[in-house]
Amino acid sequence: MTVLVVLDSLPSALSSGDLRALSVAASTDESLVVLSLLGSDDGFETRIATYGAPRLLVPGSPIDRLDSLRVSALIEKCLSTVDDVGLVLGGPSIGLRDAFGRLTIRSDGELVTGVTLIRRDDDGTIKARTALDGDRKAADISVDAETLVYGLVDPSPPDDPHCGHGGETAPVRVGLVIAEIDSPVRIVEREPLPDLSAAPLQSAEIVVAGGRGMGTAASLRRLEEWANESGFAFGSSRAPVESSWVAYDRLIGQTGTTVAPRLYIAFGISGAPQHMSGVRNANRIVAINTDPRSPIAEESDVLIVADALEILEELLRQER
Amino acid sequence: MPNATLHPGNGNDRQRPIRKAAVLVKDIPAGSDPQRYSDDLTLERTAGDSTMSGVDMFAVAAACELSDDVVAITMGPSPARGALREALSLGADRAVHIDDERLRGANARTTARVLARAASLLQVETVLLGRESSDGRLGVLGGMLAELLGWPLISAADRISSDGSSITARVREETAAAVLDAALPAVLSVAEYGAVPRGIGEGDLRRAFRAPIEEWSLEDVACDLEQVRQRVIDIEDLRLVRERVVVRRAGAETLLAELDDARVHAS
């Protein structure tokens, strides 16, 4: 069996979902082929060589990752070009969720989401371990043999570089050309988001987040400024977003962004389950809260029992 | 004309651009307790309280801004009717409840097939849904529906508008936003705050609780069940073990040490 890994982030800055897809694929011990929707850059081949893929496929002409019809056509082209693909893996980006959804229908495959581990048994069935219920549970899934499986991985902390076979040879790059499709979707323009200067949450190594316990919009603003100046990503729990103290883009949790940093610092966040499901993948959680019995205390590595704003002020004094 | 009370203060004379729209809503377990699974490893959907999945309210709001004829559809056992009542109170005009014992534990593909059939039968021009449900968090239904219906798709959209022949919407990625335009009919998955839900008045609530909910079975949508090729074989509770050190003094120093440590290890 061959595993096809589809990447849809920039080769120079792979998303945590793409990196996880590569490492989950490498751990299958099957032969790998990588399709990079946004092409490749100088060192890209060498970097993905550590995952042991002998072939790198790139689109023959630029493709927009949000155009699920064209992306689906390109993945289909890979399936007809590469022999014996039994598993297609990708990160849970908007574009790949759409394309994998389409392809599951189109090629009569099975879709598995939240994949943390996947392998083929001797009898040909595919067994996957998947994250469930905000990562509080794991479900083991079995898919019948002879079925093409599309797997969306569960994004993980970036400090989990599970590089599979560790092959030294850079993969051979092959350009794929698909027939022109008259797509009913047009990408009109791309505009940078207003807070482009702020570090993106999803791939951040250090995330600083504020909650109701910060008290006021002004103190959250100070926390955000400190985070931006220090190069940390700033996030928020639901309460400040609902009070319009913080932009929606910054919401972390079940309906917002899921983060997986090396360090997550929660300033005055009580830790409602909806929030915790978005941070549980953090390598280390430090919470600052006046209430030692708040739910976040249960799931922290370090709980600082103090007023979050006072700690921020002290921090700013000490750093000066 | 019921729309006068349906969309108060929203320009009652103005005709909305899309003739008829369906909005798909999902009933999910409410509250924060870990989900419970039955012996057959399906989620206990009747256990405890349930509520409409969070982002669905933005999909309902977007649907009501786009069309004067909005049908809310849900699939699931009887508590799912609660999600339809919520959709009605937010402005949906009709509600369809698809309930069939044979659909218990249905996977995303079966769900998509049933809902695509329902949308076809209702002859809608647009299908709207939430970006993902707050319980399953799959976010793959949109792609499946678009493929089954043969329609274009815009996912996780906000800033939605339509001129009656296409839908224009913005999709926010990590550092940039793309503006997409899709010819109608289309599938549109809506992101949080993609449209602002209007306030719910007493009249809306009265209407929502009086409105009849149409009950459909698998036969009504003329959908056969596929062979099952994917099974859940086990569900395990995970306990994340964290050391939980409690610090009551020198909080700032502790924090600085943590930051230094993380910076050292950062790539």
Side-chain angles (χ1 to χ4, degrees), chain B residues 55-183:
Chain B
V55 67
D56 290 359
M57 75 174 163
F58 302 107
V60 177
C64 294
E65 278 176 17
L66 291 173
S67 178
D68 285 317
D69 189 0
V70 174
V71 190
I73 309 174
T74 197
M75 187 179 120
S78 53
R81 293 162 60 92
L84 290 176
R85 297 275 179 218
E86 285 184 54
L88 286 165
S89 66
L90 287 164
D93 303 281
R94 265 175 81 184
V96 171
H97 176 216
I98 305 167
D99 181 13
D100 202 302
E101 183 55 34
R102 289 164 289 178
L103 290 172
R104 221 173 87 80
N107 61 17
R109 208 230 313 261
T110 303
T111 308
R113 287 178 67 236
V114 169
L115 294 172
R117 282 292 302 158
S120 298
L121 288 169
L122 290 162
Q123 297 183 308
V124 296
E125 278 186 330
T126 305
V127 173
L128 295 99
L129 67 160
R131 179 177 68 86
E132 65 178 21
S133 67
S134 303
D135 61 341
R137 311 206 60 185
L138 308 185
V140 295
L141 204 57
M144 292 182 169
L145 287 165
E147 190 66 24
L148 286 161
L149 293 163
W151 294 357
L153 163 70
I154 303 179
S155 280
D158 61 13
R159 298 203 184 152
I160 302 153
S161 64
S162 173
D163 61 2
S165 63
S166 72
I167 286 185
T168 305
R170 187 179 79 152
V171 178
R172 220 158 29 183
E173 299 185 283
E174 267 224 326
T175 53
V179 178
L180 277 74
D181 185 79

Side-chain angles (χ1 to χ4, degrees), chain B:
Chain B
M1 177 153 158
N3 283 321
T5 52
L6 272 180
H7 308 283
N10 218 342
N12 297 331
D13 307 331
R14 188 164 64 88
Q15 245 204 330
R16 287 166 219 284
I18 291 173
R19 182 183 47 78
K20 189 173 187 180
V23 59
L24 311 178
V25 295
K26 186 179 183 188
D27 188 68
I28 63 160
S32 54
D33 294 341
Q35 295 169 0
R36 284 192 297 176
Y37 287 81
S38 321
D39 292 339
D40 65 356
L41 302 177
T42 57
L43 180 63
E44 283 187 21
R45 293 212 178 268
T46 47
D49 284 341
S50 66
T51 182
M52 185 170 82
S53 175
V55 67
D56 290 359
M57 75 174 163
F58 302 107
V60 177
C64 294
E65 278 176 17
L66 291 173
S67 178
D68 285 317
D69 189 0
V70 174
V71 190
I73 309 174
T74 197
M75 187 179 120
S78 53
R81 293 162 60 92
L84 290 176
R85 297 275 179 218
E86 285 184 54
L88 286 165
S89 66
L90 287 164
D93 303 281
R94 265 175 81 184
V96 171
H97 176 216
I98 305 167
D99 181 13
D100 202 302
E101 183 55 34
R102 289 164 289 178
L103 290 172
R104 221 173 87 80
N107 61 17
R109 208 230 313 261
T110 303
T111 308
R113 287 178 67 236
V114 169
L115 294 172
R117 282 292 302 158
S120 298
L121 288 169
L122 290 162
Q123 297 183 308
V124 296
E125 278 186 330
T126 305
V127 173
L128 295 99
L129 67 160
R131 179 177 68 86
E132 65 178 21
S133 67
S134 303
D135 61 341
R137 311 206 60 185
L138 308 185
V140 295
L141 204 57
M144 292 182 169
L145 287 165
E147 190 66 24
L148 286 161
L149 293 163
W151 294 357
L153 163 70
I154 303 179
S155 280
D158 61 13
R159 298 203 184 152
I160 302 153
S161 64
S162 173
D163 61 2
S165 63
S166 72
I167 286 185
T168 305
R170 187 179 79 152
V171 178
R172 220 158 29 183
E173 299 185 283
E174 267 224 326
T175 53
V179 178
L180 277 74
D181 185 79
L184 289 173
V187 176
L188 184 74
S189 98
V190 180
E192 290 79 1
Y193 304 92
V196 182
R198 68 211 178 90
I200 300 174
E202 204 184 315
D204 298 313
L205 286 177
R206 247 199 312 272
R207 192 184 129 272
F209 281 86
R210 277 183 192 151
I213 289 177
E214 297 162 47
E215 296 288 343
W216 290 14
S217 70
L218 211 47
E219 278 75 26
D220 292 319
V221 287
C223 211
D224 53 329
L225 289 177
E226 296 174 319
Q227 187 200 344
V228 175
R229 294 179 304 190
Q230 181 183 143
R231 293 166 196 84
V232 180
I233 45 182
D234 192 24
I235 290 177
E236 191 187 317
D237 277 312
L238 299 179
R239 286 227 162 267
L240 277 176
V241 182
R242 302 215 182 245
E243 48 192 301
R244 223 193 310 163
V245 175
V246 179
V247 178
R248 289 177 191 273
R249 266 168 232 214
E253 289 79 359
T254 306
L255 212 48
L256 284 169
E258 289 285 342
L259 282 166
D260 281 344
D261 201 43
R263 280 197 189 106
V264 166
H265 290 98
S267 47

Side-chain angles (χ1 to χ4, degrees), chain A:
Chain A
M1 184 181 81
T2 298
V3 179
L4 173 68
V5 186
V6 186
L7 309 176
D8 80 341
S9 55
L10 280 172
S12 54
L14 286 181
S15 66
S16 56
D18 280 357
L19 288 169
R20 181 62 173 260
L22 279 168
S23 66
V24 169
S27 71
T28 60
D29 279 326
E30 307 281 348
S31 76
L32 304 190
V33 173
V34 172
L35 166 66
S36 173
L37 293 180
L38 300 187
S40 84
D41 63 10
D42 276 349
F44 191 52
E45 270 105 333
T46 329
R47 271 176 280 136
I48 62 165
T50 52
Y51 295 95
R55 254 199 292 180
L56 169 66
L57 306 175
V58 292
S61 55
I63 191 164
D64 196 291
R65 61 183 170 190
L66 291 178
D67 187 344
S68 59
L69 274 175
R70 286 204 175 86
V71 172
S72 302
L74 191 69
I75 296 173
E76 276 190 306
K77 176 85 179 186
C78 292
L79 296 177
S80 61
T81 311
V82 181
D83 286 338
D84 193 32
V85 175
L87 172 63
V88 184
L89 282 174
S93 65
I94 295 169
L96 290 185
R97 286 179 180 200
D98 288 354
F100 283 20
R102 280 188 180 278
L103 287 162
T104 301
I105 301 292
R106 200 181 290 184
S107 59
D108 195 28
E110 285 291 325
L111 182 64
V112 183
T113 57
V115 174
T116 54
L117 268 179
I118 196 161
R119 68 184 154 82
R120 188 177 61 153
D121 270 358
D122 292 338
D123 62 2
T125 58
I126 290 194
K127 298 267 167 53
R129 174 147 269 229
T130 64
L132 201 67
D133 192 15
D135 291 327
R136 283 187 286 201
K137 293 185 175 66
D140 291 319
I141 310 269
S142 167
V143 183
D144 292 357
E146 312 292 320
T147 312
L148 178 58
V149 175
Y150 291 92
L152 289 165
V153 300
D154 187 50
S156 77
D159 62 335
D160 181 24
H162 186 302
C163 300
H165 323 247
E168 290 296 305
T169 328
V172 176
R173 182 165 50 170
V174 184
L176 280 181
V177 180
I178 50 165
E180 196 39 47
I181 304 167
D182 189 18
S183 177
V185 175
R186 203 163 50 86
I187 285 84
V188 183
E189 59 171 338
R190 266 204 164 70
E191 56 189 36
L193 286 172
D195 58 348
L196 192 64
S197 58
L201 276 172
Q202 225 168 16
S203 51
E205 297 247 4
I206 299 176
V207 172
V208 168
R212 201 196 299 271
M214 286 296 287
T216 63
S219 33
L220 273 158
R221 189 81 222 152
R222 287 177 67 190
L223 184 65
E224 182 168 11
E225 279 164 12
W226 171 68
N228 288 346
E229 282 161 18
S230 316
F232 313 142
F234 172 75
S236 169
S237 64
R238 179 159 283 281
V241 173
E242 290 199 331
S243 313
S244 300
W245 292 353
V246 173
Y248 168 70
D249 302 50
R250 298 285 119 195
L251 176 63
I252 295 173
Q254 205 164 54
T255 50
T257 305
T258 299
V259 297
R262 187 179 302 277
L263 176 63
Y264 179 77
I265 309 176
F267 280 83
I269 291 176
S270 62
Q274 292 80 355
H275 181 75
M276 293 314 293
S277 77
V279 304
R280 214 165 266 135
N281 274 332
N283 205 33
R284 202 162 167 80
I285 297 178
V286 177
I288 306 142
N289 206 296
T290 46
D291 180 8
R293 285 176 313 251
S294 62
I296 201 165
E298 286 288 310
E299 297 199 56
S300 305
D301 297 287
V302 178
L303 172 70
I304 299 171
V305 184
D307 181 83
L309 181 58
E310 279 172 23
I311 291 286
L312 175 66
E313 280 166 351
E314 176 65 31
L315 209 59
L316 294 173
R317 269 199 299 276
Q318 294 207 13
E319 276 199 333
R320 203 169 288 139

